[in-house]
Amino acid sequence: MQTYLFDGSMEGLLTAVFEWFERKPGMVVLRNQALHQPDAFEQCFHVISNEQQAARVWKGLQQRLEKGWIRRLTCAYLSEKPDVHDHLFQLICYLFQNPPGAEMNYGNEHVLEVAQTARKVEREKHRMEAFIRFQHAADGIFYCGIDPDFNVLPLLGKHFRNRYQDQQWIIYDLKRHYGLFFDLHTLDEITMQREEENNLMNSKADVLSEKENLYALLWKDYFKSTNIPARKNTKLHVQHVPKRYWKYLTEKQVEI
Amino acid sequence: MSERIREKLNILADAAKYDVSCSSSGGTRKNDNKGLGNSHASGICHTYTEDGRCVSLLKILLTNHCIFDCAYCVSRKSNDIQRAAFTVEEVVELTMNFYRRNFIEGLFLSSGIFKNADFTMERLLRVVKKLRLEERFNGYIHLKTIPGASEDLIREAGMYADRMSINLEMPTESGLKLLAPDKSHQEVIDPLGMVQRQIVQFKEEKKLIKSVPKFVPAGQSTQMVIGATPETDKDIMQTADTFYKNFSLKRVYYSGYIPISNDNRLPMLGSQPPLIRENRLYQTDWLMRFYGFNVNELLNDANPHLDIDIDPKLSWALRNLHYFPIDINVANYKMILRVPGIGVNSAKKIVQARKFGKLRIDQLKKIGVAYNRARHFIKCADSPYQLKDYQSTQIKSFILAESQSKYLKNDTNQLILF
């Protein structure tokens, strides 16, 4: 069995599919070359990303699949899980080898794995839509720093752009060191220096707008008074709002 | 200033929390005026309270002054509590600023009745109009219809709100008469029907003229209090079913009664709210809406109450063992949906996947079927051959033995001798 090594990009993955159909080497596993540990007897083949080949494969996929499935492939890729590349590769090869509609075969392990991974990514994206809490800074921009489990920032832009058209905002991924900035007209990708990033997380009163603390306080009050103590159900609460997200949430911050 | 608004928010959020409706779904408002807010088709729960209920809307009363004296309500006239009232500007400002910070999906505005119904409704209308027209707010607005308000006011409110609701409060007329002698179901039915007819009419016009404005795009809902009066589950669900059918409601909410007064017509202070019962009612509601069950199959004169220890779908299956086992690889979708342990998503996946080959146990498990529960009711490609036919009590004890209820901490199973 051969090992295909690629550079970890979506383009590289699609090129690998192209190469596989060019050579038909039988069973192959796809690995990211940055993470690959070679063993003594394996045959390696380095896939060199090729824009045109990747575009051809992508076009073929778009002809075969519905929009929902194209999105699933993208989502699964954004999960950044180590073995998802191989599943995606196997799935795409499987789709091209079978008549249209093969993506419905949930009995196939790659179909199911990609569908389930995509679902996890969508769930994380939805959680971010819910748990992002903007802070209004003195310079008029609404800030938020996040570190989601998966790289969901590319999926978030549209939602927030549609929603907040009359305010400037920044959503910054502190784990992957890039962010989105909306300046009332266009949405751009930005990167910040490390010191600026640190400022995002522990913002002090002097950089915040004057009313910010009042609204944070009002929100905490609201969160408290809307609770019904007689129905307390901590297990359910933590299930819906897992503890790893508490650091974003205004209502979960301890009052200083 | 800030102290006063904090105090008001505390009082009026506290008074509004017994309204359980929290959904922010179904809105279709788009941010096409460079304003604030854009509705999300499935709604977003921005956080959850410590009792596990979602918080997606800023749920407040405009005021908790009320001329009525309903025994089940905290804001009743005779109750000695702090009273407060928001101004229109305060509600608008709170909503806008919370929304800007992504705290909420929109506003849920209700109110106690002060002076009379029209006066109250007119105030509510002023809030939504200011939000929509002056602040260009496109978020979700859930507005209470005030029973008895004039038709014109309700119709105008419907042009700005996404959802409107009126609470039935008690599942039966007799229950309502007992606790709130001034109210009747008819007062609820009239405006529900009015709004429903308007929704239908606007939809018809929309088909011909594209520019017809939206009218209550997310539909109507209602709420019933459970456990305050001695209704059976059958009464409750049949009322719900009638309202779903007659007014095409989006949701009926069931709210377990939380004791708030010493009134001897009501459960004692300090008694536990009926959480399990509430959960079972919601399960039944889902079975009716998404699983194709008829209310009479689940609740009838022979079984007026839902089982507390098992869910209604399992309990239906155990009463109707003659339908089972079904073969997962040939049975139709409707029947697969009725198997305990298989949900809507799994059922759809099964129907898709079996076109490519017979499904096996391991595949079913991966697809997401609760196999330990479902295996008593299904056959698939590699089901083990079974000589013995089990009785429903035996199957029930098997399932209970290997599952744990999230409510019952101690095992209360009775041993079965035969």
Side-chain angles (χ1 to χ4, degrees):
Chain A
M1 189 167 68
Q2 257 195 340
T3 308
Y4 272 23
L5 296 176
F6 81 122
D7 57 2
S9 67
M10 191 66 181
E11 208 176 273
L13 200 153
L14 295 173
T15 314
V17 175
F18 191 93
E19 292 284 0
W20 189 86
F21 277 98
E22 189 110 312
R23 287 152 211 273
K24 298 273 173 64
M27 278 282 279
V28 152
V29 281
L30 185 73
R31 293 275 176 265
N32 187 341
Q33 60 197 19
L35 306 170
H36 183 59
Q37 291 279 345
D39 70 45
F41 305 106
E42 77 176 356
Q43 290 177 295
C44 282
F45 174 75
H46 284 270
V47 177
I48 295 154
S49 299
N50 180 320
E51 208 176 314
Q52 278 143 12
Q53 292 172 351
R56 260 181 76 182
V57 176
W58 191 242
K59 199 176 153 208
L61 280 173
Q62 279 174 324
Q63 282 165 352
R64 282 181 165 248
L65 295 177
E66 282 175 24
K67 267 192 188 153
W69 264 97
I70 296 287
R71 184 173 167 97
R72 275 184 202 169
L73 297 182
T74 320
C75 285
Y77 174 74
L78 288 176
S79 75
E80 299 180 337
K81 285 174 149 190
D83 57 346
V84 80
H85 296 143
D86 187 44
H87 283 295
L88 274 171
F89 173 74
Q90 308 290 358
L91 169 66
I92 297 174
C93 292
Y94 171 76
L95 289 177
F96 280 122
Q97 284 171 306
N98 285 282
E103 73 276 8
M104 297 297 181
N105 184 7
Y106 289 98
N108 179 306
E109 61 165 324
H110 307 297
V111 176
L112 196 64
E113 179 67 28
V114 168
Q116 285 174 344
T117 312
R119 209 180 155 82
K120 283 178 197 165
V121 175
E122 293 278 14
R123 187 184 300 135
E124 183 71 6
K125 172 207 157 237
H126 190 77
R127 276 181 173 151
M128 283 303 130
E129 286 170 359
F131 295 153
I132 278 178
R133 297 281 184 266
F134 287 117
Q135 285 191 309
H136 195 197
D139 56 5
I141 302 178
F142 287 81
Y143 286 98
C144 180
I146 54 173
D147 57 344
D149 297 350
F150 308 122
N151 184 13
V152 293
L153 216 50
L155 303 172
L156 286 175
K158 191 177 163 218
H159 171 82
F160 282 96
R161 193 189 53 210
N162 287 341
R163 180 158 286 210
Y164 299 107
Q165 289 195 0
D166 64 344
Q167 68 189 42
Q168 293 181 303
W169 48 265
I170 290 177
I171 299 172
Y172 200 84
D173 190 333
L174 296 160
K175 205 160 145 187
R176 297 171 186 84
H177 306 291
Y178 76 108
L180 300 174
F181 171 52
F182 181 71
D183 63 355
L184 296 180
H185 304 290
T186 50
L187 188 63
D188 293 316
E189 218 176 277
I190 50 163
T191 48
M192 288 189 196
Q193 301 300 324
R194 280 297 156 89
E195 311 88 71
E196 287 178 303
E197 279 184 20
N198 291 338
N199 286 341
L200 260 186
M201 263 331 235
N202 41 35
S203 45
K204 288 177 201 70
D206 51 326
V207 297
L208 294 176
S209 79
E210 48 180 323
K211 284 271 180 99
E212 179 56 41
N213 284 330
L214 170 66
Y215 284 110
L217 202 59
L218 283 171
W219 176 244
K220 278 182 206 167
D221 284 348
Y222 175 71
F223 183 71
K224 244 177 266 160
S225 37
T226 195
N227 178 33
I228 303 179
R231 300 176 59 108
K232 188 175 165 62
N233 189 345
T234 312
K235 194 180 157 200
L236 187 62
H237 172 64
V238 176
Q239 191 179 321
H240 284 310
V241 192
K243 285 187 181 163
R244 65 178 182 281
Y245 300 105
W246 286 15
K247 58 181 177 291
Y248 309 135
L249 300 177
T250 314
E251 61 271 22
K252 286 286 177 194
Q253 306 305 318
V254 201
E255 282 178 47
I256 314 153
Chain B
M1 162 63 194
S2 71
E3 279 309 305
R4 184 61 193 140
I5 187 114
R6 278 184 75 182
E7 206 178 335
K8 279 189 190 178
L9 182 63
N10 283 342
I11 296 170
L12 294 170
D14 189 84
K17 69 186 178 189
Y18 298 101
D19 244 310
V20 287
S21 168
C22 62
S23 84
S24 51
S25 57
T28 50
R29 239 165 264 276
K30 291 275 163 278
N31 191 354
D32 42 19
N33 52 359
K34 270 283 183 186
L36 179 71
N38 185 47
S39 54
H40 189 281
S42 63
I44 301 176
C45 305
H46 282 274
T47 186
Y48 289 81
T49 56
E50 276 158 34
D51 51 30
R53 295 175 313 140
C54 95
V55 181
S56 59
L57 305 173
L58 171 65
K59 198 183 289 176
I60 45 175
L61 298 188
L62 194 59
T63 174
N64 61 347
H65 290 282
C66 193
I67 54 172
F68 287 112
D69 199 25
C70 314
Y72 50 81
C73 177
V74 247
S75 305
R76 65 187 177 279
K77 191 170 60 182
S78 59
N79 201 13
D80 182 21
I81 50 163
Q82 279 187 302
R83 305 279 168 171
F86 276 126
T87 62
V88 173
E89 287 72 30
E90 281 168 340
V91 176
V92 170
E93 198 148 306
L94 270 176
T95 313
M96 292 299 285
N97 277 295
F98 278 4
Y99 198 93
R100 283 194 186 286
R101 288 164 178 78
N102 205 32
F103 292 165
I104 52 168
E105 243 347 70
L107 174 67
F108 177 114
L109 191 60
S110 177
S111 180
I113 315 292
F114 49 110
K115 285 195 190 166
N116 58 49
D118 271 347
F119 190 82
T120 315
M121 194 70 213
E122 195 261 320
R123 279 298 175 86
L124 296 182
L125 183 59
R126 266 170 56 195
V127 175
V128 282
K129 269 177 100 166
K130 194 171 161 69
L131 275 171
R132 290 278 191 239
L133 302 179
E134 288 177 33
E135 306 282 341
R136 288 186 298 171
F137 177 72
N138 299 310
Y140 193 89
I141 296 181
H142 180 149
L143 201 65
K144 281 270 150 198
T145 316
I146 306 294
S150 79
E151 227 172 86
D152 294 339
L153 281 174
I154 295 178
R155 188 181 308 119
E156 197 178 353
M159 311 285 276
Y160 303 107
D162 287 296
R163 170 168 287 184
M164 297 184 79
S165 67
I166 317 182
N167 290 351
L168 269 180
E169 307 301 2
M170 295 299 147
T172 55
E173 186 80 41
S174 57
L176 190 65
K177 277 278 169 279
L178 180 72
L179 299 177
D182 316 338
K183 291 189 173 174
S184 73
H185 271 182
Q186 197 56 41
E187 282 177 10
V188 176
I189 290 171
D190 291 341
L192 271 180
M194 204 283 276
V195 174
Q196 168 59 18
R197 283 191 299 278
Q198 294 279 335
I199 293 177
V200 174
Q201 190 189 331
F202 270 77
K203 271 207 185 123
E204 286 299 317
E205 284 174 23
K206 184 110 190 164
K207 279 180 198 159
L208 299 172
I209 310 164
K210 209 171 167 230
S211 61
V212 168
K214 292 185 166 65
F215 187 84
V216 198
Q220 301 192 86
S221 66
T222 190
Q223 170 178 329
M224 291 190 265
V225 178
I226 306 306
T229 41
E231 279 98 5
T232 60
D233 292 343
K234 182 180 142 238
D235 296 335
I236 297 169
M237 290 320 296
Q238 278 182 342
T239 307
D241 190 48
T242 329
F243 275 83
Y244 274 128
K245 280 185 185 143
N246 295 351
F247 303 104
S248 22
L249 294 185
K250 293 286 172 181
R251 284 289 296 275
V252 174
Y253 292 94
Y254 312 92
S255 154
Y257 176 72
I258 293 148
I260 43 156
S261 88
N262 265 326
D263 200 310
N264 55 14
R265 290 170 292 177
L266 287 165
M268 269 196 320
L269 270 182
S271 55
Q272 268 296 312
L275 295 182
I276 310 180
R277 188 174 177 207
E278 194 187 289
N279 180 234
R280 295 286 178 239
L281 288 171
Y282 274 116
Q283 287 175 326
T284 316
D285 187 272
W286 249 249
L287 290 179
M288 277 161 41
R289 291 190 297 139
F290 301 117
Y291 290 77
F293 279 91
N294 189 306
V295 64
N296 294 323
E297 292 176 282
L298 300 162
L299 288 160
N300 42 43
D301 288 328
N303 315 280
H305 279 286
L306 296 167
D307 284 318
I308 287 298
D309 52 351
I310 54 172
D311 62 89
K313 195 183 189 189
L314 179 58
S315 118
W316 174 84
L318 291 176
R319 285 200 302 270
N320 295 283
L321 274 182
H322 51 278
Y323 291 124
F324 300 105
I326 60 159
D327 190 335
I328 235 53
N329 286 307
V330 294
N332 65 12
Y333 172 73
K334 276 189 178 164
M335 207 54 219
I336 294 179
L337 215 45
R338 291 188 167 224
V339 176
I342 300 183
V344 176
N345 278 326
S346 310
K348 281 187 184 153
K349 281 203 177 109
I350 288 171
V351 175
Q352 294 287 4
R354 67 185 183 187
K355 292 177 192 161
F356 297 86
K358 291 206 162 185
L359 294 176
R360 303 179 306 270
I361 296 173
D362 63 319
Q363 288 172 314
L364 286 183
K365 282 182 183 169
K366 271 194 185 154
I367 280 175
V369 172
Y371 186 73
N372 277 345
R373 178 172 292 237
R375 71 190 162 118
H376 305 286
F377 305 97
I378 57 171
K379 276 192 302 195
C380 50
D382 57 346
S383 289
Y385 187 69
Q386 184 184 318
L387 270 179
K388 197 175 166 201
D389 270 341
Y390 289 112
Q391 292 188 346
S392 59
T393 44
Q394 289 170 303
I395 295 179
K396 181 174 166 182
S397 69
F398 290 145
I399 290 174
L400 283 180
E402 61 201 9
S403 61
Q404 311 175 282
S405 164
K406 54 190 166 189
Y407 296 108
L408 305 169
K409 296 289 177 262
N410 304 321
D411 199 11
T412 50
N413 273 345
Q414 178 133 18
L415 291 176
I416 297 166
L417 285 177
F418 303 105

